[in-house]
Amino acid sequence: MASDKDIITFLSSYDEKVTSDALLLRKLLFANLPDIEEQIDLPAKMIGYCYGQKYAELICMLIPSKKGLKLSFNRGSSLPDPDKLLQGTGKISRYVEIKGEEEINSPQLKRLLAAALEAYHARK
């Protein structure tokens, strides 16, 4: 499990908006994914949120970049997305571009997180 200090250190190489959005999104993830584990993957430059060490236990990934912030969902291609938030063409993963606080706090993103958690429990 990553510490707050590790997360802040990891995010410090990105601009202030990416960092502040990532920290706000992180709070949302902890509030909506009970007992989720947080792991920094330095080579991949992302923070994973999972319920174990196996790829199948991965729920989502926070991906900061110079261009902005994405929240990628493991098995996102199979998640219900009535609000059309998910982007990408990968066979398994899909992502949401995070543009700011309004999007982070949106009911649509919370519904997507709930669907990802439900899909995880269904796989178990």
Short mmCIF file of all heavy atoms in Angstrom, two decimals, residues 4 7 14 24 27 32 36 40 51 58 62 70 73 75-76 79 84-85 94 98-100 106:
data_model
loop_
_atom_site.label_atom_id
_atom_site.label_comp_id
_atom_site.label_asym_id
_atom_site.label_seq_id
_atom_site.Cartn_x
_atom_site.Cartn_y
_atom_site.Cartn_z
N ASP A 4 0.62 8.30 1.75
CA ASP A 4 0.28 9.62 1.21
C ASP A 4 1.52 10.31 0.67
O ASP A 4 1.48 10.95 -0.38
CB ASP A 4 -0.38 10.48 2.28
CG ASP A 4 -1.77 10.00 2.65
OD1 ASP A 4 -2.35 9.18 1.90
OD2 ASP A 4 -2.29 10.46 3.68
N ILE A 7 2.55 8.96 -2.71
CA ILE A 7 1.64 9.44 -3.76
C ILE A 7 1.98 10.87 -4.14
O ILE A 7 2.08 11.22 -5.32
CB ILE A 7 0.16 9.32 -3.31
CG1 ILE A 7 -0.22 7.85 -3.10
CG2 ILE A 7 -0.77 10.00 -4.31
CD1 ILE A 7 -0.15 6.98 -4.32
N TYR A 14 4.23 16.22 -12.05
CA TYR A 14 3.19 16.67 -12.96
C TYR A 14 2.75 18.08 -12.57
O TYR A 14 3.00 18.53 -11.46
CB TYR A 14 2.00 15.70 -12.93
CG TYR A 14 2.42 14.32 -13.38
CD1 TYR A 14 2.75 13.35 -12.45
CD2 TYR A 14 2.55 14.01 -14.73
CE1 TYR A 14 3.18 12.09 -12.86
CE2 TYR A 14 2.97 12.76 -15.15
CZ TYR A 14 3.29 11.80 -14.20
OH TYR A 14 3.73 10.57 -14.60
N LEU A 24 -7.85 14.68 -5.61
CA LEU A 24 -9.29 14.70 -5.42
C LEU A 24 -9.92 13.39 -5.91
O LEU A 24 -10.77 12.81 -5.24
CB LEU A 24 -9.89 15.90 -6.16
CG LEU A 24 -11.36 16.18 -5.94
CD1 LEU A 24 -11.64 16.45 -4.46
CD2 LEU A 24 -11.78 17.37 -6.78
N LYS A 27 -9.41 10.59 -3.42
CA LYS A 27 -10.38 10.61 -2.33
C LYS A 27 -11.69 9.96 -2.76
O LYS A 27 -12.30 9.21 -2.00
CB LYS A 27 -10.65 12.05 -1.87
CG LYS A 27 -9.52 12.67 -1.09
CD LYS A 27 -9.87 14.07 -0.68
CE LYS A 27 -8.67 14.74 -0.01
NZ LYS A 27 -8.95 16.14 0.36
N ASN A 32 -15.54 5.36 -2.61
CA ASN A 32 -16.49 4.53 -3.37
C ASN A 32 -16.04 3.09 -3.59
O ASN A 32 -16.83 2.28 -4.08
CB ASN A 32 -16.77 5.19 -4.72
CG ASN A 32 -17.64 6.41 -4.58
OD1 ASN A 32 -18.85 6.31 -4.57
ND2 ASN A 32 -17.01 7.56 -4.43
N ILE A 36 -10.15 -0.64 -0.71
CA ILE A 36 -9.31 -0.76 -1.91
C ILE A 36 -7.84 -0.56 -1.52
O ILE A 36 -7.53 0.21 -0.61
CB ILE A 36 -9.75 0.24 -3.00
CG1 ILE A 36 -9.18 -0.13 -4.36
CG2 ILE A 36 -9.38 1.67 -2.65
CD1 ILE A 36 -9.89 -1.22 -5.05
N ILE A 40 1.55 2.11 -6.38
CA ILE A 40 2.22 2.90 -7.41
C ILE A 40 3.01 1.96 -8.31
O ILE A 40 3.76 1.12 -7.82
CB ILE A 40 3.17 3.95 -6.79
CG1 ILE A 40 2.39 4.91 -5.91
CG2 ILE A 40 3.92 4.70 -7.89
CD1 ILE A 40 3.27 5.88 -5.14
N TYR A 51 -7.84 -5.13 -5.28
CA TYR A 51 -8.17 -5.91 -4.09
C TYR A 51 -7.24 -7.10 -3.93
O TYR A 51 -7.59 -8.07 -3.27
CB TYR A 51 -9.64 -6.36 -4.14
CG TYR A 51 -10.58 -5.21 -3.87
CD1 TYR A 51 -11.30 -4.63 -4.92
CD2 TYR A 51 -10.75 -4.70 -2.59
CE1 TYR A 51 -12.16 -3.57 -4.67
CE2 TYR A 51 -11.60 -3.64 -2.34
CZ TYR A 51 -12.30 -3.09 -3.39
OH TYR A 51 -13.15 -2.03 -3.15
N LEU A 58 -7.60 -6.02 -10.15
CA LEU A 58 -7.41 -4.60 -10.43
C LEU A 58 -8.75 -4.01 -10.86
O LEU A 58 -9.40 -4.53 -11.76
CB LEU A 58 -6.36 -4.43 -11.53
CG LEU A 58 -6.03 -3.03 -11.98
CD1 LEU A 58 -5.37 -2.24 -10.85
CD2 LEU A 58 -5.11 -3.09 -13.19
N LEU A 62 -5.17 5.20 -12.02
CA LEU A 62 -5.07 6.64 -12.18
C LEU A 62 -3.81 6.89 -13.00
O LEU A 62 -2.72 6.48 -12.59
CB LEU A 62 -4.98 7.26 -10.79
CG LEU A 62 -5.24 8.73 -10.65
CD1 LEU A 62 -5.79 9.01 -9.27
CD2 LEU A 62 -4.02 9.53 -10.91
N LYS A 70 -6.14 10.61 -16.57
CA LYS A 70 -7.11 9.61 -17.01
C LYS A 70 -7.36 8.64 -15.86
O LYS A 70 -6.47 8.34 -15.08
CB LYS A 70 -6.58 8.81 -18.20
CG LYS A 70 -6.44 9.60 -19.46
CD LYS A 70 -5.89 8.75 -20.59
CE LYS A 70 -5.70 9.59 -21.84
NZ LYS A 70 -5.02 8.85 -22.90
N PHE A 73 -10.12 1.86 -16.53
CA PHE A 73 -10.83 0.77 -15.88
C PHE A 73 -10.40 -0.57 -16.47
O PHE A 73 -10.50 -0.78 -17.69
CB PHE A 73 -12.34 0.92 -16.05
CG PHE A 73 -12.91 2.04 -15.23
CD1 PHE A 73 -12.93 3.33 -15.70
CD2 PHE A 73 -13.40 1.79 -13.96
CE1 PHE A 73 -13.44 4.36 -14.95
CE2 PHE A 73 -13.92 2.81 -13.19
CZ PHE A 73 -13.94 4.11 -13.68
N ARG A 75 -11.06 -4.08 -17.54
CA ARG A 75 -12.29 -4.67 -18.08
C ARG A 75 -13.36 -3.61 -18.34
O ARG A 75 -14.56 -3.88 -18.29
CB ARG A 75 -12.81 -5.79 -17.19
CG ARG A 75 -11.73 -6.86 -17.02
CD ARG A 75 -12.24 -8.08 -16.40
NE ARG A 75 -11.11 -8.99 -16.15
CZ ARG A 75 -11.24 -10.25 -15.87
NH1 ARG A 75 -12.42 -10.79 -15.79
NH2 ARG A 75 -10.17 -10.99 -15.65
N GLY A 76 -12.90 -2.41 -18.61
CA GLY A 76 -13.81 -1.31 -18.90
C GLY A 76 -14.63 -1.52 -20.15
O GLY A 76 -15.73 -0.99 -20.27
N LEU A 79 -17.99 -2.86 -19.16
CA LEU A 79 -18.80 -2.13 -18.18
C LEU A 79 -19.98 -1.44 -18.85
O LEU A 79 -19.84 -0.92 -19.96
CB LEU A 79 -17.97 -1.07 -17.46
CG LEU A 79 -16.90 -1.54 -16.48
CD1 LEU A 79 -16.15 -0.35 -15.92
CD2 LEU A 79 -17.51 -2.37 -15.37
N LYS A 84 -21.84 7.36 -21.49
CA LYS A 84 -20.81 7.48 -22.54
C LYS A 84 -19.55 8.21 -22.05
O LYS A 84 -18.99 9.06 -22.73
CB LYS A 84 -21.37 8.21 -23.77
CG LYS A 84 -22.64 7.60 -24.32
CD LYS A 84 -22.40 6.28 -24.97
CE LYS A 84 -23.65 5.77 -25.64
NZ LYS A 84 -24.00 4.42 -25.32
N LEU A 85 -19.10 7.83 -20.85
CA LEU A 85 -17.87 8.41 -20.30
C LEU A 85 -16.62 7.72 -20.82
O LEU A 85 -15.57 8.35 -20.95
CB LEU A 85 -17.88 8.31 -18.77
CG LEU A 85 -18.94 9.08 -18.00
CD1 LEU A 85 -18.79 8.82 -16.52
CD2 LEU A 85 -18.87 10.56 -18.30
N ARG A 94 -10.74 0.54 -20.77
CA ARG A 94 -11.29 1.80 -21.26
C ARG A 94 -10.93 2.86 -20.22
O ARG A 94 -10.62 2.55 -19.08
CB ARG A 94 -12.81 1.75 -21.42
CG ARG A 94 -13.32 0.81 -22.49
CD ARG A 94 -13.09 1.38 -23.88
NE ARG A 94 -13.77 0.61 -24.90
CZ ARG A 94 -13.33 -0.52 -25.44
NH1 ARG A 94 -12.19 -1.03 -25.03
NH2 ARG A 94 -14.00 -1.13 -26.39
N ILE A 98 -10.20 12.92 -17.25
CA ILE A 98 -10.62 13.74 -16.12
C ILE A 98 -10.21 15.18 -16.40
O ILE A 98 -9.03 15.47 -16.51
CB ILE A 98 -9.99 13.23 -14.80
CG1 ILE A 98 -10.34 11.76 -14.55
CG2 ILE A 98 -10.39 14.13 -13.63
CD1 ILE A 98 -11.81 11.47 -14.37
N LYS A 99 -11.20 16.04 -16.49
CA LYS A 99 -10.91 17.43 -16.84
C LYS A 99 -10.97 18.38 -15.65
O LYS A 99 -10.51 19.51 -15.74
CB LYS A 99 -11.87 17.89 -17.93
CG LYS A 99 -11.66 17.13 -19.24
CD LYS A 99 -12.61 17.62 -20.30
CE LYS A 99 -12.34 17.05 -21.66
NZ LYS A 99 -12.40 15.64 -21.80
N GLY A 100 -11.55 17.92 -14.54
CA GLY A 100 -11.61 18.81 -13.39
C GLY A 100 -12.53 18.30 -12.30
O GLY A 100 -13.10 17.21 -12.38
N SER A 106 -18.99 14.06 -10.30
CA SER A 106 -20.24 13.81 -11.02
C SER A 106 -20.87 12.49 -10.62
O SER A 106 -20.19 11.50 -10.33
CB SER A 106 -19.99 13.82 -12.53
OG SER A 106 -19.30 12.64 -12.92
#
